[in-house]
């Protein structure tokens, strides 16, 4: 299938330019020369021969156009110049012919017809010139104007040198041409080897689809035998029989499917519509087995109607693409499974509309149907009071990186209403459109754990203070019990050293004062050890600090003197237990930073300041200070420099979390060997929220003429007895020590104007009694008052938060109990003037 190689395009172009240039030169010179000959001697034959030569030379380019070879045209030019020069020289009688023009003959023949023609005409000119001179010098020359012999010898020498120069130039040209041809052949050979060894099939195809030349890759791709049989390209690539829909707009490599029916092996095809295009399709080898290929078609610019076609076997690429597609699909499915099984909620939204929610997000929202969430505006999921914060966070351009929004809330579709979450939002493509992906993490369990850790830390601090608290209780307990003993002796053995009413009053007053001090210590402990978060609101920080100082006093007084430096400050936003934990922790840390036994040498200063917008509480000590290498770790959880029995390492970390929860912060300033100052900065509460200016007014109410009936339920007989004594004879008291006995009375139809019920009791506790009463005697619920020494279980604490009934904290003063009962009975009288027992 190989085509012969004649002249190279470079050689042909050069030869054609020589022919054209010489024809134009002669067309310019011939008329001028003819005019000169006519004016000098009126030689019409010379004029006629010159013009004839010009015409014969001038048709040479047209001969090439008509298909004449350069060998013929080169000799044609040489012959016409040769006879014209001989005729002019001989006929005109000028002596020797124009040797310069004769010297052009072999050069012209050499350049156009080749080396052999140039050598032939050089020899011809030498022989003919010799004969010509012999004729001029021989007999019968008297009719001619003959130049002298020396001039002839000089001209002969010039001619010989000129011929020699022409020969050298011809040899140089031939050598250069042979070198160029050799280089071109070497390049062609190299190109041929590249084509033959190319992995892609490279072939030339005629206008009717016949394969003219092809490399070995063509036979390998289509499994063709290595022989010279005629092959048609169309049956191998059936898609070529179709016409591209819009070739000009094909910017990517399209896939062209083969036709449904396979064409015959000799079916012609027109490649013209595919010139300049590339496409993928399915080819078929000689056994009609499919082969995925990529085809590129280009037209040859030689006027011969051939196309160059490059065919690439893309079987391996398609296999890799299928593998990559499978891996991509597997990755997509794995990623989807990952998203579907993430414990965090993932919501994809665009233009504030939900487009996707994973199962965890649906669980966060209360397990709604996914179709009720997709398409829902995002705004109903964010509480109105937090919507502006959400939008402000997203306005910070999530495409530049994830935007984390710390604790906020989500509306749910169930009875939880709102849940605490933290979220991270980033830009991504979802369903091939720019979207925002928000990941929500439920903070409910984390907040519970944080509360437990805070409670553990508080209990750890209480344990640290246990000895001091015991000391603070034992002191007032000593004169409480002592005075009571004296009173008992005075009653049993009169006369006694309690000689008059003043002595009796003083003993009773001292006992009451000691009991009040014990009650205050217990109240402080209860406030500090609260197991739940109270509502954040205005808090008198100075009261909280005083309570913490009272609790930490025993730790402080043996190490340093305590100085108070308090300004009048506005209330802060917070809750007493959390603020108390901060103050107590800082006071204990300050005490532990000072060695025991040198209180007169050291000082702890508690300071309170405000600038109107913020309140600053600081605790300073003159202890050992904090080394610089530890300063950046003191707020890390579980990091401590104290002995194992003095701390968990959670104190400062929890204090900072509490302060941040209230919108504040903790900072530290320290110098080794001189001491440390911790400063807590908290936002001042809005004065409108502070209602201390209008404290509740204590009021007394007249009791009815008949004694109201009161049921006392308490598993501690001594508590029930002191309540009975406090309320007699104003009230008619019925006392039981088990909830079941009270229920039996009520089930038998008995009624009471008020029920005092202890909250924490064995078997059936106060909360259970409330629910049973709600089922069996709901009309008695308004008469119920709870008393408790503390909600020691989370369930009891939650019940206190949720119930609307009054709760009195033990120890209870008799006047407080009487006032609460009077208020209760007065409310009943306002609602209904009929006593309950008469209903």
């Amino acid at each position: 299938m190989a085509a012969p190689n004649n002249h190279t395009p470079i050689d042909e172009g050069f030869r054609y330019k020589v022919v054209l240039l010489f024809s134009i030169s002669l067309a310019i010179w011939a008329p001028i020369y003819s005019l000169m000959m006519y004016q000098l001697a009126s030689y019409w034959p010379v004029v006629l021969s010159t013009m004839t030569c010009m015409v014969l030379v001038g048709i040479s380019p047209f001969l090439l156009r008509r298909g004449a070879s350069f060998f013929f045209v080169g000799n044609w030019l040489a012959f016409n110049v040769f006879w014209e020069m001989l005729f002019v020289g001989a006929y005109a009688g000028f002596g020797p012919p124009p040797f310069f023009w004769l010297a052009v003959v072999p050069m012209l023949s050499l350049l156009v017809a080749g080396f052999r023609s140039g050598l032939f005409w050089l020899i011809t000119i030498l022989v003919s010139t010799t004969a010509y001179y012999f004729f001029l010098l021989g007999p019968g020359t008297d009719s001619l104007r003959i130049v002298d012999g020396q001039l002839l010898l000089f001209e002969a020498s010039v001619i010989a040198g000129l011929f020699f120069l022409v020969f050298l130039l011809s040899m140089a040209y031939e050598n250069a041409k042979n070198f160029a041809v050799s280089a071109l052949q070497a390049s062609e050979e190299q190109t041929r080897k590249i084509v033959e060894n190319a992995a892609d099939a490279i072939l030339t195809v005629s206008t009717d689809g016949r394969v003219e030349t092809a490399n070995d890759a063509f036979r390998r791709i289509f499994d063709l035998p290595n022989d010279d049989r005629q092959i048609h390209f169309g049956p191998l690539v059936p898609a070529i029989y179709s016409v591209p829909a819009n070739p000009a707009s094909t910017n990517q490599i399209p896939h062209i499917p083969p036709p449904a029916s396979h064409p015959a092996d000799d079916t012609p095809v027109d490649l013209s519509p595919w010139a300049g295009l590339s496409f993928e399709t399915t080819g078929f080898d000689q056994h009609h087995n499919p082969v995925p290929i990529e085809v590129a078609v280009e037209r040859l610019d030689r006027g011969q109607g051939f196309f160059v076609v490059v065919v690439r076997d893309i079987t391996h690429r398609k296999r890799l693409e299928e593998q990559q597609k499978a891996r991509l699909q597997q990755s997509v499915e794995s990623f989807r499974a990952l998203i579907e099984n993430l414990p965090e909620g993932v919501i994809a939204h665009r233009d504030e509309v939900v487009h996707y929610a994973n199962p965890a997000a649906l669980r966060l929202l209360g397990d709604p149907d996914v179709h009720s969430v997709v398409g829902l505006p995002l705004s109903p999921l964010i509480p109105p009071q937090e919507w502006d914060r959400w939008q402000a966070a997203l306005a910070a351009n999530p495409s530049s990186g994830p935007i984390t929004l710390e604790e906020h809330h989500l509306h749910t579709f169930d009875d939880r209403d709102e849940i605490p979450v933290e979220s991270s939002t980033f830009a991504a493509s979802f369903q091939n459109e720019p979207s925002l992906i928000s990941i929500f993490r439920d903070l409910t369990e984390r907040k519970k754990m944080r509360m437990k850790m805070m409670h553990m830390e508080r209990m750890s601090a209480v344990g640290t203070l246990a000895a001091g608290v015991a000391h603070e209780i034992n002191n007032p307990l000593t004169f409480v019990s002592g005075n009571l003993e004296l009173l008992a002796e005075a009653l049993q053995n009169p006369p006694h050293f309690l000689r008059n009413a003043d002595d009796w009053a003083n003993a009773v007053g001292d006992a009451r004062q000691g009991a009040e001090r014990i009650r205050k210590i217990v109240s402080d402990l209860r406030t500090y050890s609260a197991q739940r978060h109270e509502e954040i609101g205005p808090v008198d920080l100075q009261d909280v600090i005083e309570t913490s100082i009272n609790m930490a006093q025993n730790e402080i007084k043996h190490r340093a003197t305590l100085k108070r430096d308090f300004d009048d400050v506005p209330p802060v936003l917070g809750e007493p237990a959390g603020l108390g934990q901060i103050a107590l922790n800082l006071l204990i840390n300050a005490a532990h930073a000072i060695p025991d036994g040198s209180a007169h040498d050291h000082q702890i200063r508690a300071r309170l300041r405000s600038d109107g917008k913020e309140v600053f509480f600081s605790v300073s000590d003159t202890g050992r200070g904090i080394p610089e290498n530890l300063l950046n770790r003191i707020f890390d959880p579980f990091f401590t420099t104290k002995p194992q029995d003095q701390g968990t390492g959670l104190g400062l970390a929890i204090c900072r979390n509490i302060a941040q929860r209230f919108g504040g912060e903790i900072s530290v300033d320290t110098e080794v060997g001189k001491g440390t100052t911790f400063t807590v900065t908290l936002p001042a509460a809005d004065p409108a929220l502070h209602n201390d200016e209008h404290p509740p007014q204590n009021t007394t109410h007249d009791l009815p003429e008949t004694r109201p009936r009161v049921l006392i339920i308490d598993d501690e007989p001594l508590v029930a007895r002191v309540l009975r004594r406090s309320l007699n004879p104003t009230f008619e008291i019925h006392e039981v020590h088990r909830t079941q006995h009270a229920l039996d009375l009520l089930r038998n139809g008995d009624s009471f104007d008020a029920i005092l019920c202890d909250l924490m009791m064995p078997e059936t506790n106060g909360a259970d009694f409330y629910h049973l009463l709600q089922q069996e005697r709901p009309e008695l619920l308004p008469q119920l008052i709870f008393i408790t020494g503390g909600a020691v279980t989370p369930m009891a604490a939650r019940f206190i938060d949720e119930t609307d009934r009054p709760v009195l904290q033990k120890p209870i003063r008799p006047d407080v109990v009487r006032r609460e009962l009077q208020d209760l009975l007065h409310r009943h009288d306002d609602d209904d003037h009929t006593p309950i027992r008469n209903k």
Side-chain angles (χ1 to χ4, degrees):
M1 286 183 249
N5 183 20
N6 297 323
H7 296 292
T8 64
I10 297 176
D11 194 24
E12 292 178 355
F14 174 76
R15 294 172 184 230
Y16 183 79
K17 289 178 181 178
V18 170
V19 173
L20 184 62
L21 182 62
F22 185 76
S23 301
I24 294 173
S25 300
L26 190 61
I28 296 173
W29 173 83
I32 298 174
Y33 181 75
S34 299
L35 182 61
M36 292 173 57
M37 290 296 99
Y38 179 77
Q39 291 179 351
L40 290 175
S42 298
Y43 288 144
W44 287 103
V46 172
V47 173
L48 184 59
S49 65
T50 301
M51 298 306 291
T52 302
C53 179
M54 179 191 72
V55 172
L56 295 176
V57 169
I59 65 173
S60 299
F62 299 99
L63 294 176
L64 289 175
R65 288 289 185 180
R66 299 297 295 178
S69 66
F70 283 102
F71 177 81
F72 173 80
V73 173
N75 286 288
W76 170 263
L77 291 174
F79 172 74
N80 282 293
V81 174
F82 177 72
W83 71 257
E84 168 64 13
M85 293 302 101
L86 288 182
F87 176 79
V88 171
Y91 183 83
F94 292 147
F99 296 108
F100 174 75
W101 284 102
L102 288 177
V104 170
V105 172
M107 176 64 79
L108 191 62
S109 179
L110 173 68
L111 294 176
V112 180
F115 177 75
R116 292 186 178 83
S117 295
L119 183 61
F120 167 77
W121 283 106
L122 180 60
I123 294 173
T124 300
I125 287 175
L126 289 176
V127 172
S128 60
T129 303
T130 302
Y132 186 78
Y133 274 102
F134 180 77
F135 171 75
L136 289 178
L137 297 176
T141 60
D142 53 344
S143 61
L144 298 174
R145 293 178 290 175
I146 300 182
V147 298
D148 58 22
Q150 292 182 349
L151 180 58
L152 291 177
L153 291 176
F154 172 77
E155 291 182 356
S157 301
V158 173
I159 291 300
L162 187 58
F163 284 164
F164 184 70
L165 178 61
V166 170
F167 177 76
L168 291 180
L169 290 175
S170 299
M171 292 298 292
Y173 166 77
E174 190 68 21
N175 189 35
K177 189 187 77 170
N178 290 337
F179 178 79
V181 170
S182 299
L184 185 60
Q185 289 176 345
S187 177
E188 289 178 346
E189 180 64 19
Q190 185 178 11
T191 303
R192 186 189 64 79
K193 290 181 179 179
I194 292 174
V195 170
E196 286 297 326
N197 294 286
D200 297 339
I202 303 174
L203 55 150
T204 57
V205 181
S206 64
T207 53
D208 59 355
R210 289 179 292 105
V211 177
E212 299 294 332
T213 62
N215 62 353
D216 292 339
F218 174 69
R219 297 183 178 87
R220 185 187 70 252
I221 292 174
F222 292 101
D223 194 19
L224 298 172
N226 191 10
D227 54 26
D228 293 332
R229 72 175 65 179
Q230 187 66 55
I231 298 174
H232 284 267
F233 182 67
L236 301 176
V237 186
I240 210 75
Y241 288 103
S242 61
V243 177
N246 190 2
S249 63
T250 307
N251 297 322
Q252 298 180 348
I253 298 179
H255 179 81
I256 309 299
S261 59
H262 199 83
D265 291 345
D266 56 352
T267 305
V269 63
D270 183 13
L271 294 181
S272 300
W274 296 97
L277 299 180
S278 299
F279 59 94
E280 291 182 2
T281 186
T282 300
F284 295 89
D285 61 15
Q286 66 170 349
H287 305 295
H288 300 291
N289 296 319
V291 181
I293 56 175
E294 180 182 323
V295 182
V297 181
E298 288 291 344
R299 188 189 300 273
L300 278 176
D301 191 18
R302 294 178 57 182
Q304 299 177 357
F306 287 99
F307 296 88
V308 174
V309 180
V310 179
V311 179
R312 175 172 297 170
D313 186 353
I314 56 175
T315 302
H316 182 65
R317 189 176 80 189
K318 285 297 183 182
R319 188 179 299 116
L320 290 178
E321 288 177 357
E322 290 297 325
Q323 293 174 355
Q324 291 176 354
K325 185 177 179 181
R327 285 196 294 266
L328 180 60
Q329 182 64 26
Q330 184 178 4
S331 299
V332 170
E333 293 175 357
S334 300
F335 184 72
R336 176 175 290 275
L338 175 65
I339 296 298
E340 293 287 324
N341 292 282
L342 271 179
E344 286 80 17
V346 179
I347 293 179
H349 50 98
R350 185 168 53 251
D351 299 328
E352 298 182 0
V353 175
V354 177
H355 289 269
Y356 168 79
N358 72 340
L362 297 178
R363 289 193 297 270
L364 272 178
L365 299 174
D367 287 323
D369 183 76
V370 65
H371 299 294
S372 64
V373 175
V374 174
L376 185 73
L378 196 62
S379 54
L381 303 181
I382 309 296
Q385 66 272 18
E386 296 182 357
W387 179 248
D388 291 341
R389 180 186 173 205
W390 171 268
Q391 287 190 313
L394 297 190
N397 189 12
S399 60
S400 60
I403 295 175
T404 299
L405 194 62
E406 297 182 353
E407 185 173 336
H408 61 103
H409 295 81
L410 279 181
H411 267 310
T412 63
F413 291 80
D414 55 14
D415 55 2
R416 292 177 299 169
D417 190 25
E418 292 181 4
I419 57 171
V421 295
E422 67 178 4
S423 62
S424 181
T425 301
F426 56 92
S429 177
F430 180 75
Q431 296 176 343
N432 297 323
E433 292 190 40
S435 305
L436 293 178
I437 309 298
S438 294
I439 300 177
F440 296 92
R441 184 175 291 110
D442 190 353
L443 299 182
T444 304
E445 293 301 323
R446 183 190 297 182
K447 292 185 69 175
K448 290 180 181 178
M449 181 59 66
R450 185 168 60 189
M451 290 179 61
K452 290 180 180 179
M453 292 176 65
M454 291 169 61
H455 183 66
M456 289 172 56
E457 177 62 21
R458 286 201 294 270
M459 293 303 98
S460 175
V462 171
T464 302
L465 299 173
V469 171
H471 178 271
E472 293 299 320
I473 291 178
N474 284 332
N475 278 340
L477 187 59
T478 299
F479 56 81
V480 168
S481 60
N483 281 297
L484 290 176
E485 288 292 334
L486 288 176
L487 290 172
E489 290 178 7
L491 291 173
Q492 293 176 1
N493 300 304
H496 197 267
F497 55 85
L498 296 176
R499 292 179 297 274
N500 52 46
D502 289 339
D503 291 339
W504 283 77
N506 289 335
V508 172
D510 290 345
R512 292 178 65 182
Q513 183 179 357
E516 180 63 22
R517 284 179 57 180
I518 295 173
R519 188 195 66 78
K520 184 67 168 63
I521 293 171
V522 173
S523 176
D524 291 343
L525 284 174
R526 182 185 294 117
T527 299
Y528 181 73
S529 60
Q531 298 186 36
R532 64 192 186 279
H533 283 314
E534 299 177 13
E535 290 294 329
I536 294 177
V539 177
D540 189 332
L541 187 56
Q542 184 171 341
D543 287 348
V544 173
I545 296 172
E546 289 290 355
T547 299
S548 300
I549 290 175
N550 293 336
M551 296 183 64
Q553 187 62 48
N554 199 62
E555 288 289 317
I556 295 173
K557 65 184 180 181
H558 300 294
R559 302 170 187 264
T561 58
L562 179 67
K563 300 293 183 182
R564 293 171 173 84
D565 184 8
F566 296 159
D567 288 349
D568 289 334
V569 298
V572 298
L573 280 177
E575 45 92 7
L579 294 174
Q581 184 167 358
I582 295 175
L584 183 61
N585 192 280
L586 295 182
L587 289 168
I588 292 176
N589 284 352
H592 288 174
I594 299 171
D596 194 5
S598 55
H600 60 282
D601 295 329
H602 292 281
Q603 185 182 96
I604 294 176
R605 179 180 295 273
R607 187 177 228 183
L608 203 53
R609 297 285 187 271
S610 176
D611 62 1
K613 295 182 179 179
E614 293 179 319
V615 176
F616 309 97
F617 164 56
S618 62
V619 176
S620 303
D621 64 70
T622 56
R624 55 182 175 268
I626 303 173
E628 186 177 356
N629 63 323
L630 302 179
L631 194 58
N632 61 345
R633 299 181 60 192
I634 60 174
F635 291 104
D636 292 346
F638 304 105
F639 175 77
T640 181
T641 58
K642 297 180 182 180
Q644 188 173 2
D645 60 345
Q646 286 191 9
T648 62
L650 291 172
L652 286 177
I654 290 177
C655 287
R656 184 171 66 174
N657 287 339
I658 294 173
Q660 290 175 347
R661 185 163 62 90
F662 299 155
E665 190 51 80
I666 297 181
S667 60
V668 59
D669 183 21
T670 185
E671 186 174 351
V672 176
K674 292 189 176 181
T676 302
T677 298
F678 282 90
T679 301
V680 182
T681 304
L682 296 167
D686 187 350
L689 300 177
H690 189 49
N691 57 4
D692 285 350
E693 298 177 1
H694 306 285
Q697 300 294 323
N698 292 329
T699 58
T700 60
H701 306 283
D702 295 332
L703 292 175
E705 296 179 358
T706 58
R707 289 194 306 166
R709 301 186 68 204
V710 177
L711 176 63
I712 298 176
I713 309 170
D714 199 309
D715 62 322
E716 179 58 59
L718 293 178
V719 173
R721 188 181 306 169
V722 74
L723 289 174
R724 173 191 287 272
R725 289 171 180 167
S726 301
L727 300 178
N728 271 330
T730 307
F731 298 91
E732 180 184 337
I733 306 300
H734 195 95
E735 174 187 337
V736 296
H737 304 301
R738 295 183 60 190
T739 310
Q740 188 61 43
H741 294 164
L743 290 172
D744 291 341
L745 287 175
L746 298 175
R747 286 167 181 162
N748 289 331
D750 209 347
S751 295
F752 297 90
D753 295 287
I755 302 174
L756 291 175
C757 181
D758 187 19
L759 183 64
M760 302 303 300
M761 290 184 293
E763 299 178 1
T764 306
N765 58 31
D768 296 333
F769 177 75
Y770 176 89
H771 295 304
L772 290 171
L773 196 64
Q774 190 177 37
Q775 295 175 5
E776 300 183 20
R777 298 289 299 274
E779 74 277 5
L780 296 179
L781 288 178
Q783 280 67 53
L784 188 59
I785 299 175
F786 287 107
I787 54 177
T788 180
V792 297
T793 66
M795 184 178 297
R798 186 165 54 252
F799 176 76
I800 290 177
D801 286 339
E802 295 174 354
T803 186
D804 59 348
R805 304 315 306 142
V807 179
L808 303 180
Q809 298 287 346
K810 298 177 183 178
I812 313 172
R813 297 199 309 268
D815 60 320
V816 173
V817 178
R818 285 193 290 269
R819 185 169 60 249
E820 188 66 35
L821 287 174
Q822 289 173 359
D823 290 342
L824 178 67
L825 294 174
H826 179 70
R827 288 195 297 270
H828 292 169
D829 290 341
D830 290 341
D831 295 338
D832 189 348
H833 295 288
T834 305
I836 294 176
R837 61 174 178 266
N838 295 330
K839 291 184 181 179

